[in-house]
Amino acid sequence: MEDGFLAGARVAVVGLGLMGGSLAAALASRRACGHVVGVARNPRSLEMALGMRIIHSGTTDLAEGVAGADVVVLATPITDILNKVRSLGPLLKPGCILTDVGSTKRAITQTMEDLPPHVEPIGGHPMCGKETSGLSVADEALYRDKTYVLTPLPRTAPRMVATMEGFVRAVGARPLLLDPERHDRLVAAISHLPYALAVALVNAADRMADGDALAWRLASSGFRDTSRVAAGDLAMMTDILATNRDHVLEGLRRAQEQIAALARCLEEGDAEGLEAILRAARDRRLEVYG
Amino acid sequence: MEDGFLAGARVAVVGLGLMGGSLAAALASRRACGHVVGVARNPRSLEMALGMRIIHSGTTDLAEGVAGADVVVLATPITDILNKVRSLGPLLKPGCILTDVGSTKRAITQTMEDLPPHVEPIGGHPMCGKETSGLSVADEALYRDKTYVLTPLPRTAPRMVATMEGFVRAVGARPLLLDPERHDRLVAAISHLPYALAVALVNAADRMADGDALAWRLASSGFRDTSRVAAGDLAMMTDILATNRDHVLEGLRRAQEQIAALARCLEEGDAEGLEAILRAARDRRLEVYG
């Protein structure tokens, strides 16, 4: 029944950047639904998306875009998602599934609680991305085999959860149900903390280099890889850090403890203590990735 | 004249792990010298290297291995390099060039100062590697187009510097002359600090995950790349941190300052301050890598 639902469904993707564009591309290339409407502020994005054949139609008008949609996916920065969730309820048809791809979930799902009763909300967060952004780097394979978290609300009917799981599989991803608190805590650890430390690395290395351009000539794949995510989109990352502040702060504190422990071992010439810290990290990293 | 020298030269590579093995492989595949002798503690490494055709002969006996060598490259962990530099002078023929590939240079070059006068020492550090180690991952392309630092001593004759530059080019790398202090400071920033922060990331994330295995299912390329170097060889990394302690400590302090600044902005809701930090890192990262 879900397959039947999706096959004929009208899906509105609001925001045609990397995430929205890639989602539309996956839906289109897999012929996963009946009609994809793109909604974007910039008419050029719509032209480009139509040219890429990743949307069937497009509009800059939100009301027009979501009218009659069976599924609406909000794929704009978190602050914008929150604003839209607060206001677009009346624009949606009864039974419309409203979801998002925002990188934090508590704030968004809490705001979704206040949607009018005819809307079926469920939070979403596909665990994929690039540090480059924009429609031009959209990729129909971005979601393939990736974990795509769904955070149902207390009000979300089980069959709507099942329908969204079907949607996630239809774009090639793997649904994972989580509660928003657990999600936000875990992504602080494995996504937001890496970003913060990459930022710290680049700025600290820059200070140490102190204008010596040779630093960057010596930099090899170690610096390149460890710093990569520091190039992430600023608007997106500031939104993320702000809406996951408490868990990000915990991550930063934990990182400071680790760095302080390393420094103490070095200062005191504690070779055993140093090795224990390094070994723990190496073992865990090898466990996770082999 | 250098080309003639190297073409007929007998080169001893002491230590057949990733770096020594890859160096031998580059010399062999490029037919860069007359004869490559491999010296390793483990006879199986020698068998393997002979089988891979990256050495012409091999021995577990250091004296035998370096006898009559025109160039000796020490490619063992730093602590072992230091021990060998202190003791193998008498084993080398007059005019033998003694070099190394150790990741820090002050300690090694200072120790090289005390070599007998008939030896021609020059420190070296090729800026390449992998976080996996051992002969089985040796790669004749490892040095290709990579920056290979040379740190001449005050006693190193200019023509020996020129000869070593020729050696570096002969294995496909790009020589860069630096003094050891500048080298150690810069590599602390762009190599040792990334390692320390990758270690801090893995351990901090592990603490936050607190046994929740789902953390690693959510981890995507961001965590993978930022943590990659944390899997580095323990013996090698502890040696590196110990012999570059002062600069590594400075790097850790700088990183702590950055993290504290991020935390303060988050705690105080200072959006502008936060954006300034993130923007600085992003801009610098894009400048270095585009």
Side-chain angles (χ1 to χ4, degrees):
Chain A
M1 191 162 189
E2 292 139 31
D3 290 340
F5 164 79
L6 197 56
R10 182 178 184 86
V11 178
V13 178
V14 182
L16 291 174
L18 167 68
M19 300 304 287
S22 299
L23 189 69
L27 288 166
S29 75
R30 290 164 170 269
R31 301 187 202 282
C33 66
H35 187 102
V36 180
V37 186
V39 182
R41 283 174 310 175
N42 189 338
R44 272 203 212 96
S45 303
L46 298 172
E47 280 169 34
M48 193 172 166
L50 285 162
M52 289 160 79
R53 300 192 176 289
I54 62 177
I55 60 177
H56 296 102
S57 63
T59 174
T60 56
D61 186 296
L62 180 63
E64 185 189 328
V66 303
D70 299 291
V71 182
V72 173
V73 184
L74 301 177
T76 51
I78 294 171
T79 300
D80 189 76
I81 290 173
L82 290 167
N83 287 336
K84 287 187 162 58
V85 169
R86 287 182 193 112
S87 60
L88 66 45
L91 305 176
L92 306 176
K93 85 177 190 192
C96 173
I97 295 174
L98 178 64
T99 189
D100 75 298
V101 296
S103 298
T104 65
K105 300 271 47 82
R106 280 172 301 167
I108 290 172
T109 51
Q110 270 160 28
T111 307
M112 282 176 162
E113 282 291 351
D114 297 331
L115 281 159
H118 72 277
V119 179
E120 300 283 356
I122 180 167
H125 180 206
M127 302 306 302
C128 53
K130 300 179 184 180
E131 72 281 2
T132 43
S133 54
L135 184 57
S136 59
V137 292
D139 177 2
E140 58 96 9
L142 190 71
Y143 292 82
R144 198 184 301 160
D145 293 332
K146 294 291 163 54
T147 296
Y148 190 135
V149 174
L150 294 173
T151 54
L153 283 62
R155 62 180 269 184
T156 313
R159 63 188 176 78
M160 289 305 165
V161 178
T163 300
M164 261 317 287
E165 286 177 307
F167 179 93
V168 165
R169 288 192 191 94
V171 298
R174 302 176 182 190
L176 176 66
L177 299 183
L178 278 187
D179 75 67
E181 163 64 30
R182 190 177 178 196
H183 166 275
D184 284 7
R185 183 184 163 78
L186 294 179
V187 296
I190 55 81
S191 178
H192 309 157
L193 185 58
Y195 171 73
L197 292 182
V199 166
L201 169 61
V202 174
N203 288 342
D206 201 22
R207 294 281 170 99
M208 283 188 77
D210 195 24
D212 189 342
L214 226 47
W216 316 115
R217 271 183 69 187
L218 295 186
S220 184
S221 59
F223 185 84
R224 183 174 198 134
D225 290 349
T226 315
S227 69
R228 182 180 66 79
V229 297
D233 182 78
L234 286 181
M236 183 178 85
M237 294 315 303
T238 42
D239 268 6
I240 286 172
L241 297 180
T243 54
N244 204 16
R245 201 172 75 155
D246 52 350
H247 292 316
V248 172
L249 280 168
E250 187 194 344
L252 295 179
R253 266 195 303 276
R254 301 273 193 184
Q256 284 178 316
E257 285 166 12
Q258 290 295 321
I259 295 169
L262 281 167
R264 193 169 49 244
C265 290
L266 283 177
E267 278 157 358
E268 296 173 4
D270 180 0
E272 275 181 31
L274 182 67
E275 191 186 306
I277 296 171
L278 305 188
R279 184 179 293 283
R282 181 169 198 269
D283 288 352
R284 172 55 81 188
R285 216 286 171 172
L286 289 174
E287 251 182 73
V288 177
Y289 292 108
Chain B
M1 190 160 188
E2 292 140 30
D3 290 341
F5 164 79
L6 196 58
R10 184 179 182 83
V11 178
V13 178
V14 181
L16 290 174
L18 167 68
M19 299 304 287
S22 300
L23 189 70
L27 287 166
S29 76
R30 290 163 170 270
R31 301 185 201 283
C33 65
H35 187 101
V36 180
V37 185
V39 182
R41 280 174 312 175
N42 188 341
R44 272 200 214 99
S45 303
L46 298 171
E47 281 169 35
M48 194 172 164
L50 284 162
M52 289 160 80
R53 299 190 175 289
I54 61 177
I55 59 176
H56 296 102
S57 63
T59 174
T60 56
D61 186 298
L62 180 63
E64 185 188 329
V66 302
D70 298 292
V71 182
V72 172
V73 184
L74 301 176
T76 51
I78 293 170
T79 301
D80 188 77
I81 290 175
L82 290 167
N83 288 336
K84 286 186 164 58
V85 168
R86 286 181 195 112
S87 62
L88 67 44
L91 305 176
L92 307 176
K93 84 176 190 193
C96 174
I97 295 173
L98 177 65
T99 188
D100 74 299
V101 296
S103 298
T104 64
K105 299 269 52 81
R106 281 173 300 167
I108 291 172
T109 51
Q110 269 160 28
T111 307
M112 282 175 162
E113 281 292 352
D114 298 330
L115 281 158
H118 70 278
V119 179
E120 302 283 356
I122 178 167
H125 180 206
M127 301 306 303
C128 54
K130 299 179 185 180
E131 73 281 2
T132 43
S133 53
L135 184 56
S136 59
V137 292
D139 177 2
E140 59 95 12
L142 190 71
Y143 291 82
R144 198 183 301 160
D145 294 331
K146 295 290 162 54
T147 296
Y148 190 135
V149 174
L150 294 173
T151 54
L153 283 62
R155 63 181 269 182
T156 313
R159 63 187 175 79
M160 289 303 166
V161 177
T163 300
M164 261 316 287
E165 286 176 308
F167 179 93
V168 165
R169 289 193 191 94
V171 297
R174 302 176 182 191
L176 176 66
L177 300 183
L178 278 186
D179 76 70
E181 163 64 31
R182 189 176 178 196
H183 166 275
D184 284 7
R185 182 184 164 78
L186 294 179
V187 296
I190 55 81
S191 179
H192 309 157
L193 185 58
Y195 171 73
L197 292 182
V199 166
L201 169 62
V202 174
N203 288 342
D206 202 21
R207 294 281 171 97
M208 283 188 77
D210 196 25
D212 190 346
L214 227 46
W216 317 116
R217 273 184 68 188
L218 296 185
S220 184
S221 60
F223 185 84
R224 182 172 198 138
D225 291 350
T226 315
S227 70
R228 181 180 67 80
V229 298
D233 182 79
L234 286 181
M236 184 178 84
M237 293 315 303
T238 42
D239 267 6
I240 286 172
L241 298 181
T243 54
N244 204 16
R245 201 172 75 152
D246 52 350
H247 292 316
V248 172
L249 281 168
E250 187 196 344
L252 295 179
R253 266 196 303 276
R254 301 274 192 184
Q256 292 282 41
E257 285 167 12
Q258 290 297 319
I259 295 169
L262 282 166
R264 193 169 51 243
C265 290
L266 284 176
E267 279 159 357
E268 296 173 2
D270 180 359
E272 274 182 34
L274 182 66
E275 190 186 307
I277 297 170
L278 306 187
R279 183 179 295 283
R282 182 169 196 270
D283 287 354
R284 171 56 78 190
R285 212 298 169 166
L286 289 175
E287 251 182 73
V288 177
Y289 292 107

